Amino acid sequence: MKTGILKTAVILCIVLLATSCISSKNYANRINTWKGHNVNNLISTWGPPGDVYTMPNGNKMYTWLYTSDGYVTKRYNEYTKQIVERNNISYCSTSFTANKDDIIINWQFKGDACISFK
């Protein structure tokens, strides 16, 4: 009995440690390392952006979008007496702003898939 509880406790600790290493804070730290670098180096590493927007002040915003294939959830709605399906798609939109000299000066991201292991 004690070994079963001990094994469960050890597994729970391992899971907690592993998931604590995956976070949006880690993602923010990772993309912040690009600040001050030339945007051409970023493009060489990440590949071509999905969108480039030229701002009125001449700066450019480069955006990459990641989406998952998603999954479908089903639940029974008691009020309508029907099964309701919902598509759940994870995404991460990451944008970097570069000045006229192509130096990254800012970044932003949004979405539930903006996570990093480091």
Side-chain angles (χ1 to χ4, degrees), residues 31-108:
I31 65 172
N32 191 51
T33 62
W34 285 103
K35 202 169 183 179
H37 287 60
N38 190 294
V39 73
N40 292 301
N41 295 335
L42 174 67
I43 293 169
S44 293
T45 303
W46 283 38
D51 188 38
V52 179
Y53 173 75
T54 302
M55 301 169 79
N57 65 1
N59 291 346
K60 289 186 180 179
M61 184 179 289
Y62 300 84
T63 302
W64 284 261
L65 177 64
Y66 162 80
T67 59
S68 71
D69 291 336
Y71 56 93
V72 178
T73 58
K74 294 181 182 183
R75 68 176 182 82
Y76 182 72
N77 186 323
E78 292 181 20
Y79 299 108
T80 62
K81 309 287 187 220
Q82 295 177 349
I83 294 177
V84 179
E85 289 187 6
R86 188 172 127 193
N87 290 330
N88 295 306
I89 299 174
S90 295
Y91 77 100
C92 180
S93 175
T94 306
S95 298
F96 294 89
T97 303
N99 63 18
K100 295 175 187 175
D101 297 323
D102 292 332
I103 302 301
I104 296 170
I105 58 172
N106 203 359
W107 53 264
Q108 63 184 0

